[in-house]
Amino acid sequence: MKKILTNFLALGVCLTPLTVMLIAQPTWGQTQNSRSQEAKRLLKQGIKLTQQQEHQQAIQIFQQGLTIARELKDQKLEALALLGLGRNYDDLGQKQKALDFYNQALPLYRAVGDRTGEARTLDNIGGVYNALGEKQKALDFYNQALPLFRAVGD
C-alpha cells in the first residue's frame, strides 16, 4: 500500500509542471480565436476612423488588422482590411495605391463568396478609374458591380 501511495505521489509531482503549463497556456484554438477577435476589433476601429476622416490613423489600424488576418489565413478579414486600406488611400488622393489594395481584396472576396464585398470593391475600383478620367474602364467595373448589388438586394 505504501509503495502504491509513493508511486502515485511521485506521478503527481512529475505531472504538476505539465498540468500547470496546460492550464496557464491557452490552446491553439483559443489563441486563434482571441487573435481573430483582435483583428475584428481593429477593423471596426479602422472603419470608425475612416468615417471620422482620420485616414492616416485608419491606415495604421487596418495594417495591423491585415497582419493578423494574414497570420490567421482568414481571407474574409484580410479582404476587409485591404478594402479599408484602399478606401483610405483613395480618400487621401493616392489612387494607384488604392487600386493596388482594391485589386488584392477582389479575388479574396470572390474566394470566400462574399458578393457584397465583391460588389463594393468593383464599385470602388470603378470610382478610382472615374477619378483618373478613364471613363470606359470605370464603366466596365460599374457594370460588373451592378448585377452583384442587385443580387444581394442593395
Side-chain angles (χ1 to χ4, degrees):
M1 175 76 169
K2 186 176 180 182
K3 189 174 182 177
I4 294 172
L5 186 57
T6 304
N7 286 339
F8 182 72
L9 289 173
L11 180 63
V13 170
C14 291
L15 290 178
T16 299
L18 178 61
T19 305
V20 170
M21 192 171 77
L22 288 172
I23 291 170
Q25 297 291 323
T27 64
W28 182 81
Q30 290 170 326
T31 302
Q32 185 179 25
N33 188 45
S34 66
R35 294 290 283 165
S36 179
Q37 292 303 317
E38 175 70 5
K40 289 175 185 176
R41 185 192 63 75
L42 287 167
L43 297 178
K44 284 181 186 177
Q45 184 180 358
I47 291 167
K48 187 174 181 178
L49 289 166
T50 301
Q51 291 168 341
Q52 295 169 347
Q53 298 185 12
E54 298 288 341
H55 301 298
Q56 292 297 343
Q57 287 178 294
I59 287 169
Q60 292 174 355
I61 297 298
F62 278 120
Q63 282 288 2
Q64 291 174 27
L66 177 62
T67 299
I68 295 170
R70 285 181 170 164
E71 285 172 9
L72 297 172
K73 297 179 178 20
D74 187 323
Q75 291 183 316
K76 189 164 185 144
L77 291 178
E78 183 178 351
L80 183 58
L82 290 165
L83 185 65
L85 285 163
R87 167 77 189 276
N88 280 282
Y89 280 112
D90 196 351
D91 289 348
L92 289 172
Q94 297 181 39
K95 302 300 184 186
Q96 189 55 55
K97 218 167 188 179
L99 270 179
D100 291 343
F101 285 110
Y102 290 149
N103 283 319
Q104 290 177 63
L106 186 58
L108 294 173
Y109 277 123
R110 287 177 173 157
V112 298
D114 184 338
R115 297 176 82 190
T116 301
E118 181 182 352
R120 284 187 187 140
T121 305
L122 289 165
D123 187 55
N124 289 350
I125 292 170
V128 170
Y129 282 121
N130 188 42
L132 293 173
E134 296 186 46
K135 305 297 183 186
Q136 187 55 54
K137 226 171 183 179
L139 189 58
D140 291 343
F141 282 95
Y142 289 144
N143 283 331
Q144 291 177 61
L146 184 59
L148 291 172
F149 277 128
R150 285 182 176 150
V152 297
D154 189 342

